[in-house]
Amino acid sequence: MAITISKIGVVGAGQMGIGIAHVCALSGAEVLLIDIAEDRVSDALALIERNMSRQSGRGLISAEDMAAALARVKSGTDFGLMKDCDLVIEAVTEDEEVKNAVYQSICPILKEDAILATNTSSISITRLAADTDRPGRFIGMHFMNPAPMMELIEIISGIATEPDVFESVREFTVSLGKTPVSSEDFPAFIVNRILLPMINEAVYTLYEGVGSVDAIDTAMKLGAHHPMGPLELADFIGLDTCLAVMQVLHDGLADTKYRPCPLMVKYVEAGWLGRKTGRGFYDYSSEVPVPTR
Ligand code: NAD
């Protein structure tokens, strides 16, 4: 039987956690947004307010709904705040060790029947679930970026995920106004299995000198009708996340076609992670992003 989900915990107040908290609060749920970094937590509510104001300015939500949604979001650094949550959505860094450490900390705090969902872009749900105290109540809930704008949520059951957990999460997804698509638990699921190799190929195209950043992005926007060029999109996603997904594809499917481009590796090693660090394939220090190659 599907359970009622009315109190949500979101772990990780990065770009995805903030967007997920935003969507859940607008749908009427109480939301707790938790991060280990004090500055992330202190910035989070202001960022959500700014993003909702933009939606309100465009007439997508009313001022009353926005005020009510903001009143439903609380943030903090104490995992203990999540003890009454029906569903916890983990959206921390795309690193299996970091995610496992979070589960070890939060599982003893959560209600026995609470559902634990991960927003991982690529990592095996079955393997992540196996390291928790609740493989049957563990599931993948993959929001797209930016979560308030994108219509899709991929839902991924691990081998042990109970059918009623899948059904509860599917119903909850619909209640958020999103469309669920079910994916089998294969590396990077559906969207990133297709999207990330394209981004990686765009970085190879740059690396081999086939085109400049501007030429590659313009070509794909005007020539393939993509709303964003692949390098602009890589900067938006975060190059650390892009690289982590390519590594999961490469390791998990053992096919050299998924080899991460050495230029992507170098950018991540340099700390040039895209928009979130102010530099990636574009430099974001001035008002208009400037291509770096
Ligand atoms: P991000 O770097 O913007 O944020 C990660 C957050 O996790 C940071 O605020 C960090 O402080 C926090 N964190 C790290 N360790 C923590 C811990 N032990 N406890 C609590 N918080 C911790 O990353 P993001 O882009 O928001 O990605 C988060 C997750 O969402 C990843 O699994 C990623 O693959 C997935 N995802 C990302 C995108 C995207 O386009 N960026 C899209 C869909 C899914």
Side-chain angles (χ1 to χ4, degrees):
M1 209 181 64
I3 68 158
T4 309
I5 295 175
S6 54
K7 193 161 185 186
I8 320 283
V10 179
V11 190
Q15 55 177 336
M16 290 310 297
I18 285 172
I20 294 167
H22 173 141
V23 171
C24 293
L26 272 179
S27 80
E30 296 288 325
V31 181
L32 282 164
L33 179 56
I34 308 290
D35 202 289
I36 38 164
E38 287 275 0
D39 56 334
R40 291 296 179 124
V41 167
S42 52
D43 292 348
L45 296 185
L47 280 169
I48 294 174
E49 185 167 0
R50 197 182 69 190
N51 294 339
M52 282 190 188
S53 299
R54 220 178 282 147
Q55 282 183 306
S56 169
R58 283 197 223 128
L60 298 173
I61 57 173
S62 69
E64 295 76 45
D65 286 351
M66 172 177 154
L70 286 172
R72 284 191 285 266
V73 187
K74 308 268 176 300
S75 65
T77 53
D78 177 9
F79 286 170
L81 294 168
M82 291 185 294
K83 63 181 188 326
D84 301 325
C85 288
D86 306 306
L87 167 71
V88 169
I89 304 169
E90 168 275 306
V92 305
T93 315
E94 185 74 347
D95 178 316
E96 203 162 333
E97 277 182 27
V98 174
K99 289 186 187 294
N100 284 333
V102 167
Y103 306 148
Q104 297 315 313
S105 306
I106 61 175
C107 282
I109 293 159
L110 300 184
K111 290 195 296 193
E112 205 178 313
D113 64 348
I115 297 174
L116 180 54
T118 175
N119 187 47
T120 179
S121 300
S122 60
I123 304 170
S124 161
I125 304 303
T126 299
R127 205 167 59 233
L128 289 173
D131 257 355
T132 72
D133 62 352
R134 62 193 69 215
R137 305 196 74 70
F138 191 97
I139 196 162
M141 201 179 173
H142 183 215
F143 289 75
M144 307 293 128
N145 188 15
M149 310 273 296
M150 302 295 275
E151 294 102 335
L152 182 78
I153 297 180
E154 280 182 303
I155 305 180
I156 310 105
S157 287
I159 199 166
T161 308
E162 292 157 10
D164 69 322
V165 169
F166 177 87
E167 193 45 35
S168 301
V169 167
R170 199 195 61 76
E171 280 177 17
F172 177 64
T173 297
V174 173
S175 79
L176 296 179
K178 306 291 186 190
T179 300
V181 161
S182 164
S183 166
E184 286 300 315
D185 187 17
F186 268 72
F189 321 124
I190 297 172
V191 172
N192 285 335
R193 170 83 178 257
I194 299 168
L195 184 65
L196 264 296
M198 184 205 64
I199 288 176
N200 193 46
E201 201 59 32
V203 184
Y204 268 115
T205 310
L206 179 69
Y207 180 58
E208 291 168 10
V210 181
S212 64
V213 168
D214 185 50
I216 293 164
D217 277 351
T218 303
M220 292 306 286
K221 280 191 283 191
L222 302 187
H225 234 282
H226 289 192
M228 275 175 128
L231 300 172
E232 193 186 352
L233 180 58
D235 275 2
F236 183 66
I237 294 170
L239 301 187
D240 53 340
T241 302
C242 291
L243 178 60
V245 175
M246 286 313 298
Q247 281 163 340
V248 168
L249 281 167
H250 194 226
D251 294 347
L253 299 169
D255 189 327
T256 52
K257 75 177 178 184
Y258 299 114
R259 188 170 75 102
C261 178
L263 187 63
M264 191 191 283
V265 176
K266 209 174 262 188
Y267 269 50
V268 172
E269 285 171 351
W272 297 350
L273 306 184
R275 269 182 188 274
K276 63 184 169 188
T277 57
R279 186 188 170 110
F281 295 112
Y282 292 82
D283 183 328
Y284 297 92
S285 53
S286 48
E287 213 161 288
V288 180
V290 179
T292 53
R293 277 172 185 256

